[in-house]
Amino acid sequence: MMKLWKRASGALKDRKSLFSIGFSRKTSFRNPDLDSAIIHATSHDDSSVDYRNAHRVYKWIRSSPANIKPLVHALSSRVNRTRSWIVALKALMLVHGVLCCKVSSIQEIRRLPFDLSDFSDGHSRPSKTWGFNAFIRAYFSFLDQYSFFMSEQMRRRHKKPQVDSVSQELERIQKLQSLLHMLLQIRPMADNMKRTLILEAMDCVVIEIFDIYGRICSAIAKLLIKIHPAAGKAEAVMALKIVKKATSQGEDLALYFEFCKEFGVSNAHEIPKFVSIPEEDIKAIEKVINGVEEEEEETKKEEMEVEEEKGIILVERPELRTIITDKWEVFEDDLCFTSKEITENDQHRKYNVDPSPLPLIVIDEPVYFTHTLPDLITF
């Protein structure tokens, strides 16, 4: 009896909304025909989905970019006023279909025009609706991010239609993997959720999973060819994370599809075979990373050896010419030294240096310097 009363109450609300539209005029933000199709497509009836009116909405969107603003206005008004999980879920499914139209005008939407991140049904006890609330929140989170992602991709494509760099492709794959992770969070968790509407929504989710996972696999296959030693360590490290994430998500997908099959989702009756990334490809990326690290270490080692093996440091200044080696030092200004080749009578003598080249003089003890020499040129 209570269920029948709720259906009657919901139908009455829908009729009231349709009646108020009959008095509205067409403006840049309002289209009565589009508003009517949206109300029918997001009705309070949980026993079926009005696909006929949903397709009418899609046709309006494809026909003209000018219909995006009326769509956003009508959907936001409809969702912001409702506390019914049925209307909220149908609105999300409708938005999902609009995003799948993939027309250029969709980039104007960017983030969804309403917020269901904290949605809670107001027509039943929380103990009965917590599963539906969680389902709607997860579905909203995915669509909100997916809408923003698609908008950014379209904007970039129209702004500069050029080939993406390897790092840009890697970032795009990471975003797709993040979206796939969010999709896998959308699932019925309560025992009372085996409803027609939930099954229809799960069919939409499964189709989206096929699409996004297929795009990830395709992008990775193209990317593996581009990862080579010249690509750089940072890109190779990012590629390795992506490949490992794809392997992990492949396992999660198998479990998800098994769950969907048991739950009764029609599009999951045949579980696809998720092809794992060959171990050789993973090892090839690891070799690139290790190779770059070894190359960096080798370069550092060579630089240290060069520093150690420097035999001569030459400093040239107008007033001073100095030649220094590990074993001997010669100063051409007021040179004072002790040597085995000098007689005892000459030991206390001050020598005036002749400008001609000096002979090699061996010093008994090393000389240490506390001052620094500017303009050092190393050979």
Side-chain angles (χ1 to χ4, degrees):
M1 187 69 179
M2 181 65 71
K3 188 178 287 186
L4 187 62
W5 181 85
K6 284 182 180 179
R7 284 188 179 180
S9 175
L12 188 62
K13 289 178 181 178
D14 293 336
R15 286 184 184 179
K16 186 179 177 181
S17 298
L18 290 168
F19 181 75
S20 63
I21 287 173
F23 294 97
S24 61
R25 292 182 301 174
K26 188 173 182 179
T27 64
S28 60
F29 286 92
R30 295 293 298 268
N31 183 334
D33 293 331
L34 181 59
D35 289 357
S36 174
I38 288 172
I39 290 171
H40 279 105
T42 59
S43 68
H44 287 76
D45 183 8
D46 68 336
S47 62
S48 64
V49 179
D50 191 341
Y51 286 110
R52 187 177 67 85
N53 277 288
H55 285 292
R56 282 182 63 201
V57 173
Y58 306 150
K59 284 181 181 178
W60 278 102
I61 298 306
R62 291 192 187 102
S63 64
S64 172
N67 290 317
I68 287 293
K69 286 182 179 179
L71 169 77
V72 169
H73 180 270
L75 271 174
S76 58
S77 298
R78 180 75 167 163
V79 173
N80 289 332
R81 286 201 306 264
T82 191
R83 296 195 65 191
S84 167
W85 71 264
I86 300 167
V87 174
L89 183 53
K90 285 186 175 183
L92 290 173
M93 292 169 67
L94 187 64
V95 169
H96 199 168
V98 169
L99 294 176
C100 289
C101 292
K102 296 179 180 178
V103 293
S104 58
S105 55
I106 290 174
Q107 63 182 320
E108 295 178 23
I109 298 178
R110 294 179 71 79
R111 308 300 284 265
L112 295 193
F114 49 80
D115 185 8
L116 291 175
S117 59
D118 196 30
F119 176 80
S120 181
D121 185 90
H123 301 288
S124 299
R125 290 193 298 258
S127 59
K128 290 186 176 181
T129 59
W130 69 268
F132 299 99
N133 296 338
F135 190 91
I136 287 166
R137 292 172 188 175
Y139 201 1
F140 166 78
S141 296
F142 163 72
L143 288 175
D144 190 45
Q145 291 299 316
Y146 185 50
S147 176
F148 183 75
F149 171 76
M150 287 189 63
S151 177
E152 289 296 304
Q153 293 294 307
M154 287 182 179
R155 283 174 183 270
R156 200 170 70 185
R157 224 174 288 140
H158 290 132
K159 199 172 184 180
K160 44 178 183 179
Q162 59 184 20
V163 178
D164 289 344
S165 64
V166 174
S167 60
Q168 286 175 325
E169 289 181 22
L170 287 167
E171 288 174 6
R172 181 172 167 274
I173 295 172
Q174 283 184 325
K175 288 176 182 176
L176 286 170
Q177 287 182 324
S178 176
L179 289 171
L180 182 60
H181 173 75
M182 297 177 85
L183 274 170
L184 296 179
Q185 308 311 306
I186 306 170
R187 63 172 70 198
M189 293 182 286
D191 295 334
N192 63 336
M193 293 182 69
K194 203 161 189 177
R195 307 278 190 91
T196 302
L197 188 55
I198 294 293
L199 289 169
E200 294 286 346
M202 286 298 294
D203 272 332
C204 297
V205 170
V206 167
I207 291 171
E208 193 63 65
I209 286 175
F210 277 124
D211 181 58
I212 289 182
Y213 188 69
R215 287 155 70 182
I216 291 171
C217 292
S218 177
I220 289 176
K222 293 176 183 176
L223 190 67
L224 289 174
I225 304 170
K226 300 179 183 179
I227 299 299
H228 46 77
K233 181 183 174 182
E235 291 174 348
V237 169
M238 196 183 297
L240 184 61
K241 286 181 181 178
I242 285 171
V243 167
K244 288 184 175 180
K245 179 76 172 177
T247 303
S248 172
Q249 285 188 328
E251 295 170 359
D252 294 339
L253 281 168
L255 295 173
Y256 187 85
F257 272 83
E258 190 66 45
F259 167 81
C260 290
K261 183 180 179 181
E262 291 176 2
F263 190 77
V265 180
S266 59
N267 285 332
H269 280 170
E270 293 184 9
I271 301 175
K273 291 182 179 179
F274 297 101
V275 181
S276 58
I277 297 170
E279 191 67 26
E280 309 88 72
D281 290 337
I282 298 175
K283 287 182 178 178
I285 298 173
E286 289 174 342
K287 283 181 181 177
V288 170
I289 297 170
N290 296 333
V292 172
E293 288 177 347
E294 288 172 7
E295 201 173 300
E296 289 176 352
E297 288 177 7
E298 192 63 32
T299 303
K300 287 179 183 176
K301 196 182 290 183
E302 288 176 3
E303 288 175 356
M304 290 175 66
E305 288 175 358
V306 169
E307 289 292 328
E308 291 173 359
E309 292 175 2
K310 281 177 185 172
I312 298 177
I313 301 176
L314 178 61
V315 181
E316 287 191 359
R317 295 173 61 187
E319 71 280 6
L320 179 65
R321 183 173 184 272
T322 307
I323 299 176
I324 305 172
T325 71
D326 294 335
K327 296 182 179 179
W328 57 274
E329 281 133 277
V330 177
F331 294 83
E332 292 186 4
D333 273 333
D334 296 331
L335 181 62
C336 294
F337 56 86
T338 59
S339 173
K340 292 178 182 179
E341 295 179 8
I342 302 175
T343 62
E344 291 181 3
N345 296 330
D346 296 325
Q347 284 180 359
H348 302 290
R349 181 179 170 187
K350 186 175 181 179
Y351 287 80
N352 293 322
V353 180
D354 186 76
S356 60
L358 292 172
L360 178 63
I361 301 173
V362 181
I363 305 296
D364 282 338
E365 297 179 359
V367 181
Y368 299 94
F369 303 93
T370 57
H371 60 282
T372 58
L373 299 175
D375 305 322
L376 194 65
I377 304 173
T378 304
F379 294 91

